[in-house]
Amino acid sequence: MMFMDLRSPSPNVTWWRNNEQLSDSWYLRTPGQVVNELKVEKLARDWHNTSVTCVAANTHLANPVSIDVNVQMFLLPTSVVISNPGAVREGQQVRLVCTSTGSRPSASLSWTVRGVTRPAQKENLVYGDVTSSTLVTNLTRKDHNTRVTCRAANPAVPDAPIANTTTLIVHYPPTVAASLGRSLRPELLKEGDDVYFTCTVEANPPASTITWYHEVGTPDLHYLLRNTRDTTSHTQYFKPTCCFSPNH
């Protein structure tokens, strides 16, 4: 900021803010022309919407003259927060709310899921100095541990965003698969051979135990063969079915 005064005799020219003198370094550019250039390094946020005053005074016989300059700034967002409801069951909707404060003009919010931009259901709602955006999505088990990111940027300074990331937690019931051991050839099995089966359970929270049963007499009558936390059991002569115990 620069101020020039052409009065005679040459005045003292000073800059002020909030009754604090910022600069009294003036110089004579031409006869009768005084210049004081004010340079503010690393302008802080608290300068926004404040006034700086340049005062010129050359004699005690006359009142000084002054002029005010109002400082208006683009402000970067200071915070961005995602509200995550926590664990959600498969098939239900999750509602994530992103809020950002501190931006002027109001921040522009954007969502990415697995790095892909997703549209919001409620975009850039402004309440005072707070901007919010809501993302609603239906969850499947494939969404478990998915990272969701909300970015906030001042539209006037889009290359300086800030971001916050949350992780989706999806609870889903078990799915069970039982199979003959990979190294076994079913067409070559005979009485007396050792066989083993693999039971794989996919669930969240994980199954606490895996229990093997063997049919005895009729399909409705089962014999407890083995109860293990491992996913593999070694057995003989049996045609097993697999069940699970969910972790409560």
Side-chain angles (χ1 to χ4, degrees):
M1 289 177 281
M2 181 174 66
F3 183 83
M4 297 185 296
D5 194 288
L6 303 179
R7 292 187 299 174
S8 179
S10 298
N12 293 320
V13 179
T14 55
W15 284 101
W16 298 78
R17 175 175 178 257
N18 296 334
N19 296 320
E20 177 185 356
Q21 183 173 284
L22 303 176
S23 172
D24 61 356
S25 178
W26 55 269
Y27 63 92
L28 192 64
R29 174 176 290 177
T30 62
Q33 187 183 72
V34 176
V35 176
N36 185 333
E37 296 178 342
L38 174 65
K39 181 179 180 180
V40 181
E41 296 182 355
K42 297 182 179 179
L43 201 62
R45 298 178 69 91
D46 62 359
W47 277 73
H48 172 63
N49 206 30
T50 63
S51 294
V52 291
T53 302
C54 184
V55 179
N58 67 342
T59 175
H60 294 294
L61 300 178
N63 292 327
V65 295
S66 64
I67 186 171
D68 292 334
V69 178
N70 186 257
V71 179
Q72 295 292 314
M73 300 171 57
F74 293 127
L75 301 179
L76 299 179
T78 56
S79 70
V80 57
V81 178
I82 298 176
S83 175
N84 188 336
V88 178
R89 289 182 59 86
E90 181 181 31
Q92 292 183 340
Q93 283 188 338
V94 64
R95 182 185 182 90
L96 303 177
V97 179
C98 177
T99 57
S100 177
T101 59
S103 181
R104 180 187 180 273
S106 299
S108 176
L109 305 181
S110 62
W111 294 91
T112 57
V113 180
R114 300 191 191 94
V116 178
T117 301
R118 292 281 297 273
Q121 274 61 43
K122 294 182 179 179
E123 296 189 16
N124 299 338
L125 301 179
V126 180
Y127 307 93
D129 66 345
V130 179
T131 306
S132 72
S133 177
T134 302
L135 178 69
V136 179
T137 184
N138 294 317
L139 295 181
T140 69
R141 62 188 60 201
K142 293 181 180 180
D143 295 313
H144 180 59
N145 282 334
T146 291
R147 292 172 64 82
V148 179
T149 299
C150 178
R151 286 180 172 82
N154 185 318
V157 194
D159 57 346
I162 60 174
N164 185 250
T165 299
T166 190
T167 301
L168 299 178
I169 304 299
V170 183
H171 286 178
Y172 48 88
T175 57
V176 181
S179 60
L180 193 63
R182 292 184 178 182
S183 64
L184 299 177
R185 298 178 60 182
E187 70 276 11
L188 299 180
L189 290 178
K190 61 183 181 299
E191 185 177 358
D193 287 346
D194 290 337
V195 296
Y196 68 94
F197 302 86
T198 299
C199 180
T200 303
V201 179
E202 181 183 358
N204 188 44
S208 59
T209 58
I210 295 178
T211 305
W212 289 92
Y213 294 87
H214 176 252
E215 295 180 359
V216 178
T218 68
D220 295 328
L221 181 62
H222 294 82
Y223 168 75
L224 177 61
L225 177 65
R226 190 171 183 181
N227 189 353
T228 176
R229 290 182 178 271
D230 197 353
T231 57
T232 303
S233 294
H234 299 275
T235 63
Q236 290 184 354
Y237 311 129
F238 297 107
K239 176 185 177 183
T241 58
C242 180
C243 66
F244 57 88
S245 296
N247 184 14
H248 297 285

